[in-house]
Amino acid sequence: MVTISRIRTKQAFWASIRWKILLAFFVIVGLSFFVAATTLTGQVSDYLFEQRTREDSLLTEKLATSAAPLFQSVSVEELNELLEESAVSMNGRLMLIDMDGKIQYDTFQTLCGQRIQVDEALQVLTGHQADAYGIHSPGKAVVEEMNGEKNADYLAYSAHEMTGFQGRIGVALFVSRVQSMMDSMGTVRWRLLSVFAIIAVAALILALVLSQVLTKPITALSRTMRRMGKGDLSVRVPVSGSGELRELAENYNTMAAQLESLDKTRNQFVSNASHELKTPLATMKIMLETMMYQPDMPTDLREEFMHDMNHEIDRLTGIITDLLVLTRMDNKDEMTRETVDMSELTQETVHLLLPAAEKKGQQLTDEIEPGLRLVGDRIKLNQILYNLMDNAIKYTPEQGRIHVSLREENGELVWRVHDNGIGIPEEDQEHIFERFYRVDKARSRETGGTGLGLSIVRQMVKMHGGTISVHSEPDSGSEFVVSFPREGVE
Ligand SMILES: Nc1ncnc2c1ncn2[C@@H]1O[C@H](COP(=O)(O)OP(=O)(O)O)[C@@H](O)[C@H]1O
Ligand SMILES: [Mg+2]
């Protein structure tokens, strides 16, 4: 168990957005700085190096130019003086070499008369180039021997030809001290490298913080979703920050709230439905038991009981039928789409309900604009009007008046079912479309109502893209208005 979850967390980390942000950030910052640091170091080194080369070469050339006439006329005294002075001002060792490669003058005095071994000098002597420059690291001992600098790894040779009247007469060689320049190049490189390291660490920390900040809301969301997945629909994500993540959290919470209310509605519906089904069953059981334990019951009473039981069964059947209609609509049972002649349909429904109204001595009138058509589900449209008229007849006392009209108003088809019956109190009007809601439970049971009729109506109106409203006053009557948009009608 433990190992499995540990493995899962590990995998989750490599796959996580957090890790990706971290990596991206680090790669971008690290790489760009690394490139900047290396090019910068290279450029600084090049600059220092070039400058030194130019300086040394210029000095050597100057020396060669002033030494050449003295070298040619063998003015030993003057030449020695010139070399001594120059060696001090140039801070290095100076040698003059003749065309045979023999060292004629050396400010260190140690190599006079010997053959020159320095590449740069040989290049000038034997080649066509006027000068040569090179930095070498021949080892500390050689460096000290060659230019007198102790504990130095580098020295530089700068050679320049000396020319007389007939051309080249020898080579001037300047052995210079470059250790401090090489040191400062190293320092620059080291400094840049440490700045790079510091910035890399800072970038890493910043990336860590940033990825934490960025992924925190996502982690919170996913934790909440997991809890919700386990059945706790009341959990919400904390909404913080701004932008897309805030929007995500808000949208998620809206969705969660809707799910929760849906869940509540469903639970309530199930408990209401069970209650509604239980009541007639309990009534029937009482009557049945009374009949069982009183075999000598008067026949007329027995018959009345049987009649009542039959009535309860009808009610049960009615509730179950309505429930079936409702659940089928919940399942988004596809609705048929056909062109329905609404004028004809209204006329038919009025005819169908005329006997019921006449039975109560009610006056049922209609006012139907002819030829009005609508694209929709004929059976559902029929049910809408039937339920509304059925209510009007039920909730209007005997001798009352009921008026049905179908009209086109502002491009919409409008049904009005008007009665002068008992009306609906203001506070109940917003609830009558809810499932099982009845203003007067006792009276409604007598009339055989289930409390589902109007919720079915509302659902079906909605399916057709229409709206339903009610205007009612207790004791003076009610009017239900249904409007359908007429899009899609040819
Ligand atoms: N035309 C009306 N006049 C008065 N009250 C009405 C009318 N239509 C509906 N009602 C009230 O709205 C409630 C819900 O109606 P409905 O959903 O059709 O259920 P029922 O099965 O009771 O008819 C009814 O119980 C009744 O109290
Ligand atoms: Mg009804």
Side-chain angles (χ1 to χ4, degrees):
M1 236 356 231
V2 176
T3 14
I4 288 171
S5 71
R6 201 173 287 153
I7 289 168
R8 271 185 54 193
T9 2
K10 214 170 171 186
Q11 277 178 341
F13 181 72
W14 296 120
S16 67
I17 294 185
R18 193 162 173 210
W19 164 243
K20 283 170 193 156
I21 291 173
L22 209 70
L23 198 69
F25 200 80
F26 196 64
V27 165
I28 292 168
V29 173
L31 214 66
S32 52
F33 199 82
F34 182 73
V35 170
T38 41
T39 39
L40 204 63
T41 322
Q43 264 173 3
V44 168
S45 304
D46 284 357
Y47 174 75
L48 285 175
F49 192 80
E50 246 170 56
Q51 192 164 341
R52 185 58 189 256
T53 313
R54 205 175 318 125
E55 260 170 32
D56 280 3
S57 303
L58 266 173
L59 285 171
T60 318
E61 187 183 352
K62 229 169 95 188
L63 175 77
T65 315
S66 32
L70 300 174
F71 189 73
Q72 197 167 30
S73 60
V74 204
S75 318
V76 183
E77 288 281 300
E78 282 174 68
L79 203 52
N80 270 331
E81 204 175 308
L82 172 73
L83 287 176
E84 289 302 332
E85 273 171 20
S86 303
V88 172
S89 69
M90 286 160 76
N91 189 28
R93 182 183 190 170
L94 299 174
M95 295 179 211
L96 298 182
I97 299 135
D98 65 17
M99 289 306 287
D100 295 329
K102 221 155 101 191
I103 300 164
Q104 295 294 347
Y105 294 88
D106 172 12
T107 51
F108 275 25
Q109 310 296 350
T110 51
L111 292 174
C112 285
Q114 292 190 26
R115 288 207 152 268
I116 190 73
Q117 307 281 340
V118 173
D119 275 350
E120 282 75 8
L122 292 171
Q123 274 167 30
V124 175
L125 265 182
T126 55
H128 297 289
Q129 63 201 93
D131 59 2
Y133 189 88
I135 291 183
H136 303 271
S137 58
K140 283 192 169 67
V142 179
V143 173
E144 191 172 350
E145 195 195 316
M146 287 309 289
N147 68 4
E149 196 172 9
K150 289 190 173 64
N151 230 341
D153 291 307
Y154 294 93
L155 56 71
Y157 292 117
S158 173
H160 199 282
E161 63 173 2
M162 290 187 290
T163 44
F165 307 120
Q166 271 99 39
R168 186 179 289 169
I169 54 169
V171 173
L173 181 67
F174 171 32
V175 189
S176 67
R177 304 179 168 190
V178 287
Q179 187 60 39
S180 63
M181 182 204 58
M182 296 308 281
D183 284 349
S184 57
M185 253 158 71
T187 314
V188 166
R189 201 171 296 147
W190 192 84
R191 274 204 199 137
L192 277 173
L193 214 72
S194 40
V195 169
F196 166 67
I198 291 170
I199 290 192
V201 171
L204 194 69
I205 294 170
L206 200 69
L208 261 168
V209 173
L210 206 74
S211 64
Q212 165 86 25
V213 169
L214 276 175
T215 50
K216 209 173 138 196
I218 300 179
T219 323
L221 182 66
S222 117
R223 205 180 311 126
T224 312
M225 283 167 94
R226 202 162 33 232
R227 274 178 63 190
M228 206 163 148
K230 283 180 185 155
D232 183 0
L233 295 183
S234 65
V235 283
R236 297 289 180 275
V237 194
V239 177
S240 61
S242 57
E244 293 93 333
L245 287 175
R246 187 192 180 88
E247 211 174 296
L248 182 68
E250 279 170 354
N251 287 345
Y252 177 80
N253 283 345
T254 315
M255 186 197 75
Q258 252 163 19
L259 269 179
E260 195 184 12
S261 98
L262 208 71
D263 190 57
K264 256 188 207 145
T265 319
R266 196 191 330 253
N267 283 342
Q268 211 173 354
F269 177 61
V270 170
S271 88
N272 283 346
S274 322
H275 181 75
E276 292 295 327
L277 293 174
K278 243 175 103 177
T279 318
L281 283 173
T283 318
M284 288 197 298
K285 189 171 164 64
I286 291 171
M287 290 190 283
L288 199 66
E289 276 175 356
T290 318
M291 275 156 55
M292 271 163 64
Y293 298 121
Q294 288 182 20
D296 50 349
M297 200 182 218
T299 331
D300 50 346
L301 193 60
R302 178 181 294 265
E303 253 168 28
E304 200 192 316
F305 269 30
M306 304 255 264
H307 181 267
D308 284 353
M309 278 166 66
N310 191 36
H311 180 72
E312 291 299 321
I313 288 173
D314 284 347
R315 253 177 61 72
L316 268 178
T317 315
I319 292 173
I320 290 168
T321 312
D322 283 353
L323 280 176
L324 281 176
V325 170
L326 267 176
T327 46
R328 221 176 294 138
M329 277 196 296
D330 276 354
N331 289 340
K332 296 265 175 317
D333 192 315
E334 78 270 20
M335 113 184 183
T336 59
R337 295 197 157 269
E338 58 195 306
T339 305
V340 181
D341 188 331
M342 292 289 275
S343 310
E344 205 180 279
L345 182 139
T346 310
Q347 196 69 66
E348 280 169 15
T349 314
V350 170
H351 266 294
L352 193 70
L353 281 159
L354 205 54
E358 275 172 356
K359 206 166 145 194
K360 286 183 82 175
Q362 290 163 338
Q363 190 188 335
L364 175 56
T365 53
D366 61 60
E367 187 187 332
I368 303 166
E369 249 179 64
L372 292 181
R373 285 179 299 190
L374 187 76
V375 173
D377 187 319
R378 173 188 293 275
I379 295 173
K380 292 190 172 70
L381 288 168
N382 187 58
Q383 176 106 54
I384 293 169
L385 186 59
Y386 184 94
N387 283 8
L388 291 178
M389 285 181 66
D390 178 57
N391 280 349
I393 294 167
K394 266 198 315 200
Y395 301 110
T396 300
E398 297 192 355
Q399 320 303 329
R401 279 193 317 267
I402 292 146
H403 185 71
V404 179
S405 72
L406 172 70
R407 246 183 256 144
E408 178 171 4
E409 293 175 17
N410 307 321
E412 296 195 321
L413 272 196
V414 182
W415 259 332
R416 287 173 205 274
V417 180
H418 184 97
D419 66 57
N420 65 349
I422 60 171
I424 304 160
E426 180 89 43
E427 65 270 21
D428 293 301
Q429 283 177 21
E430 56 178 316
H431 296 296
I432 52 172
F433 297 101
E434 291 166 14
R435 291 164 179 190
F436 295 115
Y437 192 88
R438 285 165 299 196
V439 175
D440 183 342
K441 294 229 168 208
R443 190 203 295 253
S444 165
R445 183 158 300 138
E446 269 169 40
T447 53
T450 61
L452 292 171
L454 283 180
S455 69
I456 291 174
V457 166
R458 186 179 60 172
Q459 195 98 339
M460 287 175 166
V461 170
K462 225 159 90 184
M463 283 173 101
H464 284 84
T467 54
I468 180 161
S469 59
V470 59
H471 315 277
S472 182
E473 242 177 75
D475 298 325
S476 71
S478 317
E479 183 179 52
F480 285 83
V481 183
V482 182
S483 314
F484 295 108
R486 294 197 66 200
E487 61 220 28
V489 182
E490 73 276 22

